[in-house]
Amino acid sequence: MERIRNALKQRRSPAYEPLDDDSDSNEPRRARKPRFSWLEYGIFLLLGVSMLWAWNMFLAASPYFQHRFRSSHALLSTFSPALISVSTVTNLVSMLLLTKLQKGANYPNRIILSLVLNIVSFTLLALSTVLFRGVSPGAYFGFLMAIVFTASLATGFCQNGVFAYVAGFGMAEYTQAIMTGQAVAGVLPCIAQIVSVLSVSAPTYDDGRDGATVPQESGKSAFAYFLTATAVSVAALLAFMLLLRRHPDDAMDASTPDRGAEAPEHASRKVVGLWTLFKKLRYLSSAVFLTFAITMFFPVFTQQIVSVRPADTAPRILQPACFIPLAFLFWNTGDLLGRLITAIPRLSLVLWPRTLLLMSVARFVFIPLYLLCNIQGEGAALASDAFYLVVVQFLFGLSNGYLGSTCMMGAGEWVDVDEREAAGGFMGLMLVGGLTVGSLLSFLVA
C-alpha cells in the first residue's frame, strides 16, 4: 500500500496537454491540478466496483446457470453468448443515447439511478435461487435475460455518469481508481463463487447435454452469492451520497478554486461532437475499442475449458464448479494488476497513443492460445492447467487491465479542459462499443 501511495504521489505532478494531437511525444504544456483526496479516491474505487460487479457476477455464476438449464440442450449451449450479447448491446445503446444527451445532463442523478436499478435487479436474482425453482428452463431464461437487460441498462447509466463526472475533477488518479475498482469487481465475485461452492459439504452432478455432467450448487449458497451484489450497490450508493455532500455544486463547477478547472456548470455545459472527439482521441479511442473487443472472446472460452484432470479424480478446486470461476479469478487478477501498475509514472504510455494502438492489435495472439487448451473436455494440445491459467488467462487479463486503464486515463491529456467531461463519456462509449462488437463475434466461437 505504501508503494502504491508513493506512486500516486509521483503521478500527481502537473497534468500535460499535447499541443498537437498528431504526434506521440509533443512538448506538453502545464495545467493546474486540484488537490488529491484518499477518501474521494476510495469512493471512486467503490463506484468502479459496483459498475462491473453485475457483469462479472453473471460470468462467475456460470456453473449455477448450467445447472438451471441442464435439461435444455439449446439453452445450455447458448445461454452464455446470449447473456453476453444482451448485456453489451443494451449497454451500447444506452451509452449512445446518453452520450448524445450532453447538454443539461445531470450525471450524479444518472449514477444514483443506476445504483437503484442494480439493487432491485440483484435482489430479485437472489430471490430466484430459493423461490420458484421448479419453473421451466425457458421461463427462467426469460427471467434471467430481463435481469441482465436491467443490470446492463444500469451499467450504461453508471459508466456514462461516472466517467463524465470524474473527468470534471481533472485528476487521472480518480479515473485510475474507477478502472481499478472495475478490476476488483472481477476478482471478488470469483472468490465469492469459489467459496460458496466449497462451503457445500459434497458436490453433486446432474446429467447435462450429450451425457456430460453439470455441477449442481446449493440454492442457499447461490442466494448468498447474488445478494452480495445488492450489498455492494447499497454501499456504493451511500458512498456516492457522501461525495455529493462534499461537492454539492458538482465536481464540474468552475467556481470551486481547488478544482482548478475552467469548465462551465452542467446547465451551460459545452457540447462537443463525437467526430470532433474522435479526431482528437483517434488512437486512444481505437485502442480501447480493440482492447475490449478482443477481450470479449475470453468469457466464452473460459466457460467451456475444464481442467486436464478428470472430474471424478481431480481435487475439488479443479472440478468444473470451482475450476471455471478459478479461471476467471486468474484472468481478473491479471486485469487488476495491469490497472494498478498504471499508477507508476515510468510505465505510463499516455503520451504514446500509437504504441497503445499497436499493443492492442497484438492481443489477437491470445485467441489461438485458447484453442490449445482443454475445451469441453475434448483434450488439450498442451495438457497443462498452469499454461492455461497463468500464460493464457493471467497474461491476457494483465494486458487488458494495463491498456484499458492507460487509454481511459490519457483521454483528458489530449483535449481542452472544457472538453474533458465529453471526452470521458466518449471514451466510455468506445469501451462499451468494443465490448458489444466482441460479444457479437463471440457467437462464432460459441
Side-chain angles (χ1 to χ4, degrees):
M1 180 60 69
E2 185 65 28
R3 185 169 298 178
I4 294 176
R5 184 182 292 109
N6 292 335
L8 286 173
K9 286 181 179 178
Q10 296 180 43
R11 182 85 189 170
R12 294 199 296 275
S13 56
Y16 297 123
E17 291 185 0
L19 298 175
D20 181 5
D21 62 348
D22 287 331
S23 173
D24 272 6
S25 56
N26 292 308
E27 186 67 25
R29 54 186 172 90
R30 298 180 182 272
R32 185 180 170 189
K33 288 282 285 186
R35 292 181 301 179
F36 177 85
S37 167
W38 276 108
L39 175 61
E40 293 175 1
Y41 181 92
I43 293 175
F44 282 117
L45 180 81
L46 184 56
L47 287 172
V49 170
S50 66
M51 186 184 300
L52 288 190
W53 186 279
W55 166 253
N56 290 284
M57 182 194 65
F58 288 134
L59 295 181
S62 175
Y64 174 77
F65 295 135
Q66 287 177 6
H67 168 66
R68 294 298 296 259
F69 299 129
R70 66 192 182 283
S71 61
S72 173
H73 173 96
L75 294 179
L76 189 60
S77 60
T78 60
F79 85 88
S80 176
L83 185 153
I84 294 172
S85 297
V86 170
S87 176
T88 52
V89 170
T90 302
N91 203 351
L92 176 63
V93 173
S94 62
M95 286 287 288
L96 279 170
L97 294 176
L98 293 171
T99 303
K100 295 291 291 184
L101 299 175
Q102 296 179 32
K103 188 174 182 180
N106 191 317
Y107 293 118
N109 281 352
R110 293 181 180 182
I111 298 171
I112 293 172
L113 176 61
S114 72
L115 295 173
V116 172
L117 287 175
N118 275 338
I119 292 171
V120 174
S121 299
F122 299 152
T123 301
L124 291 175
L125 186 61
L127 292 175
S128 73
T129 63
V130 294
L131 301 176
F132 310 111
R133 290 180 56 85
V135 299
S136 66
Y140 185 76
F141 178 80
F143 167 77
L144 179 61
M145 291 301 106
I147 293 296
V148 170
F149 172 81
T150 305
S152 302
L153 185 64
T155 301
F157 275 97
C158 191
Q159 287 177 321
N160 176 265
V162 171
F163 282 123
Y165 183 77
V166 72
F169 284 79
M171 300 192 69
E173 295 90 345
Y174 290 169
T175 302
Q176 190 264 351
I178 295 172
M179 300 299 290
T180 301
Q182 290 180 341
V184 172
V187 171
L188 294 184
C190 298
I191 296 176
Q193 174 68 2
I194 294 172
V195 171
S196 69
V197 173
L198 293 179
S199 65
V200 180
S201 59
T204 58
Y205 295 87
D206 290 324
D207 289 337
R209 59 188 177 92
D210 302 329
T213 56
V214 176
Q216 181 177 359
E217 296 185 45
S218 165
K220 292 182 179 179
S221 65
F223 174 82
Y225 172 61
F226 291 137
L227 200 61
T228 57
T230 300
V232 169
S233 296
V234 171
L237 179 59
L238 295 177
F240 184 63
M241 298 303 293
L242 173 62
L243 182 62
L244 290 183
R245 291 189 64 180
R246 288 171 60 89
H247 304 286
D249 296 325
D250 289 344
M252 286 75 77
D253 188 352
S255 64
T256 309
D258 66 342
R259 293 270 69 94
E262 298 148 9
E265 298 195 37
H266 69 264
S268 58
R269 180 177 292 115
K270 178 180 179 180
V271 177
V272 188
L274 296 182
W275 180 246
T276 300
L277 290 170
F278 177 76
K279 287 191 294 184
K280 292 189 175 185
L281 301 170
R282 56 187 177 275
Y283 296 118
L284 290 178
S285 62
S286 298
V288 79
F289 178 90
L290 281 175
T291 294
F292 286 95
I294 297 171
T295 290
M296 286 311 297
F297 284 89
F298 102 90
V300 176
F301 280 116
T302 304
Q303 296 186 43
Q304 298 188 39
I305 294 176
V306 296
S307 172
V308 296
R309 299 276 298 275
D312 54 349
T313 61
R316 196 164 176 192
I317 192 66
L318 296 182
Q319 294 175 0
C322 283
F323 187 77
I324 292 174
L326 178 66
F328 278 113
L329 178 60
F330 268 83
W331 193 94
N332 284 292
T333 301
D335 183 47
L336 174 59
L337 180 60
R339 298 179 190 227
L340 286 174
I341 63 177
T342 58
I344 303 175
R346 292 181 180 179
L347 298 180
S348 175
L349 293 176
V350 165
L351 297 181
W352 287 270
R354 288 192 182 96
T355 302
L356 292 171
L357 180 57
L358 291 176
M359 292 175 66
S360 66
V361 174
R363 296 180 74 242
F364 272 111
V365 72
F366 283 99
I367 296 178
L369 291 182
Y370 278 106
L371 301 177
L372 302 177
C373 303
N374 190 22
I375 300 177
Q376 295 182 345
E378 296 180 355
L382 289 175
S384 170
D385 289 334
F387 170 78
Y388 167 58
L389 294 175
V390 178
V391 177
V392 181
Q393 290 289 82
F394 180 81
L395 293 183
F396 196 25
L398 182 73
S399 62
N400 178 80
Y402 176 77
L403 291 175
S405 288
T406 303
C407 292
M408 297 300 293
M409 293 169 63
E413 309 289 343
W414 294 85
V415 296
D416 295 333
V417 172
D418 58 354
E419 296 174 334
R420 284 176 175 168
E421 296 173 33
F426 173 71
M427 290 296 289
L429 174 64
M430 293 298 290
L431 187 157
V432 174
L435 292 175
T436 304
V437 171
S439 69
L440 295 176
L441 292 176
S442 71
F443 270 105
L444 300 176
V445 176

